Amino acid sequence: MDNDNNNRQRQESEYSNKVRAGKRRTYFFDVRRTKGDDFYLTLTESTKRFDNDGYERHKIFLYKEDFNRFIAGLEDAINYVKTELMPDYDYDEFTRRHEEFEAQRDTEDSYQKAPIEPAELENEEDMTW
């Protein structure tokens, strides 16, 4: 049983960061601990299926010895797209749209969670339960 507890501890994240990317896609950055008390990063892309039947997930495991090369390669590829392939594109457009989407979703969530006061009901006697 002690072994099960150790396995569960290793599966838990030491740190986690979630990045929503539109309505259907989310990225998770999780720092995890190895058996030898070392650390690695898991990058997970989670995409909601079109048929609303769960999520599809893809994972990348990134180890500390590869952190610098990974970041350099990622920055290089992104900068190439931004400067060579699409220099006139407004890359902040998605940030603005995402912020608007999040604000709208938060408003809808708070509206759905708000309790209905009896005074808000037009004719409470007409309601059937």
Side-chain angles (χ1 to χ4, degrees):
M1 188 139 175
D2 190 34
N3 211 9
D4 287 341
N5 288 336
N6 286 340
N7 285 337
R8 274 190 225 113
Q9 272 186 324
R10 278 195 301 279
Q11 298 300 331
E12 293 178 13
S13 295
E14 298 288 328
Y15 172 82
S16 187
N17 186 14
K18 177 170 67 171
V19 176
R20 292 180 193 240
K23 295 180 181 178
R24 295 184 48 246
R25 195 173 56 249
T26 304
Y27 298 107
F28 297 91
F29 301 86
D30 296 301
V31 176
R32 300 189 184 272
R33 182 185 301 265
T34 66
K35 292 178 185 178
D37 283 336
D38 206 355
F39 298 96
Y40 64 98
L41 180 67
T42 59
L43 305 162
T44 307
E45 176 199 35
S46 179
T47 307
K48 190 171 188 174
R49 294 185 177 144
F50 283 109
D51 59 7
N52 287 334
D53 189 28
Y55 294 86
E56 189 173 312
R57 291 183 176 88
H58 301 96
K59 283 192 178 217
I60 295 174
F61 295 85
L62 187 60
Y63 301 95
K64 67 177 187 277
E65 58 268 21
D66 301 323
F67 285 179
N68 290 340
R69 286 186 301 252
F70 184 89
I71 289 171
L74 181 62
E75 286 178 342
D76 186 52
I78 289 171
N79 288 333
Y80 180 77
V81 172
K82 285 183 169 183
T83 60
E84 301 297 323
L85 300 178
M86 300 178 73
D88 298 328
Y89 183 76
D90 179 12
Y91 291 95
D92 294 326
E93 171 191 3
F94 288 106
T95 302
R96 288 190 300 275
R97 286 175 41 191
H98 176 72
E99 289 169 353
E100 291 169 4
F101 171 77
E102 290 289 320
Q104 179 182 354
R105 192 182 69 198
D106 290 346
T107 301
E108 290 171 0
D109 286 349
S110 65
Y111 177 72
Q112 291 173 358
K113 293 178 185 176
I116 298 174
E117 297 295 327
E120 294 177 26
L121 300 174
E122 288 183 22
N123 189 350
E124 195 172 346
E125 293 174 3
D126 291 343
M127 302 207 54
T128 57
W129 302 96

